[in-house]
Amino acid sequence: MELADRAVGFLLSFISLSIFTYYTFWVIILPFVDSDNFIHNYFLPQEYAILIPVCAGVVLLCLLCMFIGFVMLKSKKKMA
Amino acid sequence: MKHVLKIFSLLLVISALWIGLLQASIMPQSHTWLLPIYFIVSLGCYGLLMVGVGLMRFPTCPQEALLLQQDIAEAKGFLKQSGVDVGCK
């Protein structure tokens, strides 16, 4: 049981660390590198650095509102 | 001081720093515009990291679990004796 917990915890922290390093590289280090360096092939164009977090935030907000509405509807149906 | 006041003052300091950085133009301007989004993403990352670390270090106490099961069996037996219906499970 605790092995599954530890595996999930490790996976979560690994994902968060990798996202953090990729995003730091993308936003902070890459603009200072010459534009014909080979490292630019591994990173998407810089507009996506803004688009992807904003889209993810909007999707998260939508999911949250849907969940709240769903729970409210279910509780109202149970009361009636 | 109340907690919300502390958070508010922290936000104020960070936004003042950001506007100062915009005006002083040490770094290129397009670079500076990305900073707030970067901080929000890194804050989300930090939260996820804390959740993962907490999951990894969660203590399970197997002896306490065993004692708890014994307590539950004892309580069930006693209540069934006294006539209370304990038919859960």
Side-chain angles (χ1 to χ4, degrees):
Chain A
M1 271 302 108
E2 57 182 82
L3 196 62
D5 275 348
R6 211 172 287 182
V8 170
F10 182 69
L11 198 71
L12 270 183
S13 37
F14 183 70
I15 287 179
S16 94
L17 274 176
S18 61
I19 288 184
F20 179 67
T21 47
Y22 189 80
Y23 202 70
T24 308
F25 239 92
W26 209 0
V27 172
I28 298 202
I29 299 188
L30 228 53
F32 289 123
V33 168
D34 301 324
S35 65
D36 53 347
N37 208 341
F38 75 102
I39 199 79
H40 278 274
N41 301 338
Y42 289 108
F43 289 96
L44 301 164
Q46 267 234 327
E47 303 88 38
Y48 286 108
I50 310 181
L51 255 182
I52 296 185
V54 167
C55 278
V58 164
V59 162
L60 194 77
L61 220 68
C62 281
L63 282 176
L64 214 70
C65 290
M66 282 202 304
F67 179 71
I68 293 180
F70 194 63
V71 164
M72 281 170 77
L73 279 176
K74 207 158 52 155
S75 81
K76 194 173 284 192
K77 199 160 49 161
K78 207 186 283 189
M79 257 196 338
Chain B
M1 208 189 335
K2 278 201 198 169
H3 201 59
V4 67
L5 278 179
K6 278 194 229 170
I7 297 180
F8 219 63
S9 62
L10 196 71
L11 265 176
L12 210 67
V13 162
I14 290 183
S15 48
L17 272 173
W18 182 54
I19 295 181
L21 216 63
L22 266 180
Q23 302 286 42
S25 48
I26 304 175
M27 308 194 292
Q29 280 240 329
S30 59
H31 211 175
T32 322
W33 280 107
L34 287 177
L35 267 185
I37 305 181
Y38 172 71
F39 279 130
I40 294 178
V41 168
S42 71
L43 181 76
C45 246
Y46 171 73
L48 210 65
L49 184 78
M50 285 291 118
V51 166
V53 164
L55 253 184
M56 281 211 301
R57 315 176 104 250
F58 197 80
T60 42
C61 331
Q63 302 106 329
E64 312 294 327
L66 212 62
L67 287 178
L68 191 63
Q69 297 288 29
Q70 285 174 354
D71 279 345
I72 292 177
E74 180 181 327
K76 264 199 199 162
F78 174 72
L79 284 174
K80 206 173 287 193
Q81 252 181 3
S82 319
V84 178
D85 182 22
V86 268
C88 52
K89 237 346 144 90

